[in-house]
């Protein structure tokens, strides 16, 4: 009897030893394969781009304009009928400008101009940034770029509505600048200053402006270093007033950009590697859409608001950066399953992306 018990105990010890040997392999497989897992760059296991689909019909072609910050270049790529970028058909554009640190891009509703911010990485000066305006062609290229705003503190986010361009100044004691595009003059909105934080993202919708605060390019920032506010906006004068802070923002950590779509605000988080979705009234906090990103930056919607394109500025390992294409569900929330779009020779630390409206596209 005692011999039998001893034998059974020995078998159990052998089984447990084998189990402990294979557990690390099982765990590693789950990290790379299970839903919500990721690679060393924060991706959900970046896979090759989807099979290219045809271009839409002429007059229906949209383009992705990309600020390739790591290469100091702007790239334009057409988007196929499935919403994916056709990298091989893209071109470098706006080449007449010697970009210092191209950071953010917005396109006007008429699809005639693109506004590009140049935001040097140095945080020591409050007057070392600029905004350029470039003409947008029917084939998605940019030309006749000229500096319309100079000496502006690190413009890392912009929002366009009517005759005003709203620019966030990510510097100490920074504010949102309201820039009149007729006079190319900017007025500091002092009510948007938050002590100890820098305004990193700005989005506008009708008579409301939304602003996120954090510490740009600091991956170690704790969750206590953030803020999300909404402000009253006068679209006629560009003035902001009041200020309503979101009551609970535990899903934010070092937010970098945001955009408004219908009743929701989508916010990218650098430190949490996630996208938080909020009710636009800021009566609830929503929750992170996903944790498959690392180094999230600009969020841009396509012209039909069916996809959100979110920049991943990862620079570690072999992946220089990629774009996550996320489907907008019927509820208005982003789908957690996003498609990574990447090209290792082009996406060298991308920060900015803007999706044009429908253009004529290349000659058939």
């Amino acid at each position: 009897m005692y011999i039998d018990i001893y034998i059974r105990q020995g078998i159990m010890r052998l089984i447990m030893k084998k189990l402990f040997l294979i557990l690390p392999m099982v765990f590693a497989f789950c990290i790379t394969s299970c839903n919500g897992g990721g690679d060393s760059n924060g991706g959900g296991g970046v896979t090759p781009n989807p099979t290219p689909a045809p271009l839409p019909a002429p007059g229906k072609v949209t383009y992705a304009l990309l600020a390739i910050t790591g290469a100091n270049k702007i790239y334009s790529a057409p988007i196929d009928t499935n919403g994916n970028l056709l990298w091989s058909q893209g071109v470098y554009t706006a080449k007449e400008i010697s970009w210092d640190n191209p950071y953010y891009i917005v396109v006007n509703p008429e699809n005639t101009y693109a506004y590009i911010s140049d935001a040097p990485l140095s945080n020591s000066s409050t007057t070392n940034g600029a905004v350029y305006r470039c003409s947008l062609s029917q084939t998605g290229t940019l030309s006749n770029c000229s500096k319309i705003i100079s000496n502006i503190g690190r413009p890392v986010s912009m929002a366009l509505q009517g005759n005003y361009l709203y620019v966030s100044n990510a510097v100490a004691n920074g504010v949102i600048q309201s820039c009149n595009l007729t006079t190319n003059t900017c007025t500091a909105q002092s009510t948007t200053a938050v002590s100890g934080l820098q305004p990193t993202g700005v989005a506008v919708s009708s008579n409301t402006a939304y602003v996120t605060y954090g510490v740009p390019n600091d991956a170690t920032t704790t969750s206590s270093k953030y803020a999300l506010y909404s402000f009253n906006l006068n679209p006629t004068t560009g003035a902001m007033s009041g200020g309503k802070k979101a009551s609970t923002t535990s899903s934010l950590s070092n937010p970098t950009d945001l955009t408004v779509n219908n009743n929701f605000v989508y916010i990218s988080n650098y430190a949490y590697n996630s996208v938080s979705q909020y009710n636009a009234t800021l009566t609830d906090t929503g929750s992170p859409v996903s944790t498959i990103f690392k180094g999230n930056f600009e969020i841009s919607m396509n012209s039909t608001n069916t996809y959100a394109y979110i920049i991943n500025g990862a620079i570690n390992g072999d992946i220089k950066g990629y774009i996550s294409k996320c489907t907008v569900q019927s509820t208005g929330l982003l789908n957690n399953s996003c498609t990574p779009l990447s090209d290792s020779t082009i996406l060298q630390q991308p920060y900015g992306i803007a999706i044009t409206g429908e253009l004529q596209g290349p000659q058939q």
Side-chain angles (χ1 to χ4, degrees), residues 11-240:
I11 293 173
M12 287 301 297
R13 283 195 296 269
L14 181 60
I15 293 173
M16 292 301 294
K17 183 176 180 181
K18 294 290 187 181
L19 182 61
F20 280 118
L21 285 174
I22 66 172
L23 272 176
M25 291 183 286
V26 174
F27 180 74
F29 175 79
C30 189
I31 285 293
T32 56
S33 302
C34 298
N35 185 35
D39 55 28
S40 61
N41 293 278
V46 178
T47 57
N49 286 311
T51 302
L55 278 173
K60 298 289 185 180
V61 182
T62 60
Y63 290 81
L65 302 177
L66 302 165
I68 313 298
T69 308
N72 291 329
K73 294 180 179 180
I74 307 297
Y75 195 77
S76 174
I79 297 176
D80 68 19
T81 52
N82 291 331
N84 302 316
L85 275 64
L86 296 172
W87 299 105
S88 62
Q89 297 185 34
V91 296
Y92 289 102
T93 189
K95 294 185 290 185
E96 68 266 34
I97 301 298
S98 297
W99 301 100
D100 186 11
N101 200 59
Y103 208 102
Y104 205 92
I105 307 177
V106 293
V107 174
N108 69 343
E110 297 77 21
N111 292 296
T112 52
Y113 293 109
Y115 296 86
I116 304 173
S117 72
D118 207 17
L121 290 174
S122 172
N123 203 20
S124 60
S125 171
T126 59
T127 58
N128 57 359
V131 175
Y132 290 79
R133 178 168 55 203
C134 304
S135 297
L136 174 63
S137 76
Q138 285 293 308
T139 57
T141 57
L142 301 175
S143 61
N144 300 319
C145 299
S146 61
K147 185 184 296 185
I148 61 170
I149 301 171
S150 302
N151 303 322
I152 188 168
R154 295 208 64 225
V156 299
S157 179
M158 300 185 294
L160 178 64
Q161 182 174 253
N163 197 45
Y164 284 91
L165 184 69
Y166 302 91
V167 185
S168 64
N169 299 160
V171 294
N173 303 313
V175 297
I176 300 300
Q177 298 279 349
S178 175
C179 302
N180 186 310
L181 293 177
T182 299
T183 60
N184 293 336
T185 57
C186 300
T187 303
Q189 302 301 307
S190 58
T191 189
T192 62
V194 173
S195 178
L197 291 175
Q198 303 167 14
T200 52
V202 58
V204 297
S205 177
S206 186
N207 57 358
T208 303
Y210 300 88
V211 181
T212 53
Y213 298 81
V215 183
N217 301 317
D218 182 0
T220 65
T221 297
T222 65
S223 58
S224 63
K225 294 183 178 179
Y226 60 75
L228 168 63
Y229 280 80
S230 64
F231 297 91
N232 298 322
L233 176 65
N234 185 328
T236 303
T237 64
M240 298 181 188

Side-chain angles (χ1 to χ4, degrees), residues 318-336:
D318 296 329
I319 302 173
K320 303 299 182 183
Y322 57 96
I323 302 161
S324 291
K325 183 194 73 174
C326 304
T327 301
V328 180
Q329 302 175 91
S330 59
T331 60
L333 294 173
L334 298 180
N335 192 313
N336 189 56

Side-chain angles (χ1 to χ4, degrees), residues 293-357:
F293 310 124
K294 180 178 174 60
N296 288 340
F297 290 96
E298 185 170 359
I299 304 173
S300 184
M301 307 296 297
N302 67 343
S303 59
T304 56
N305 287 347
T306 53
Y307 294 117
Y309 294 82
I310 306 170
I311 284 287
N312 179 316
I315 58 174
N316 297 323
D318 296 329
I319 302 173
K320 303 299 182 183
Y322 57 96
I323 302 161
S324 291
K325 183 194 73 174
C326 304
T327 301
V328 180
Q329 302 175 91
S330 59
T331 60
L333 294 173
L334 298 180
N335 192 313
N336 189 56
S337 299
C338 302
T339 302
L341 309 175
S342 179
D343 188 292
S344 60
T345 63
I346 295 172
L347 291 184
Q348 302 175 52
Q349 198 176 354
Y351 281 176
I353 181 170
I355 308 300
T356 72

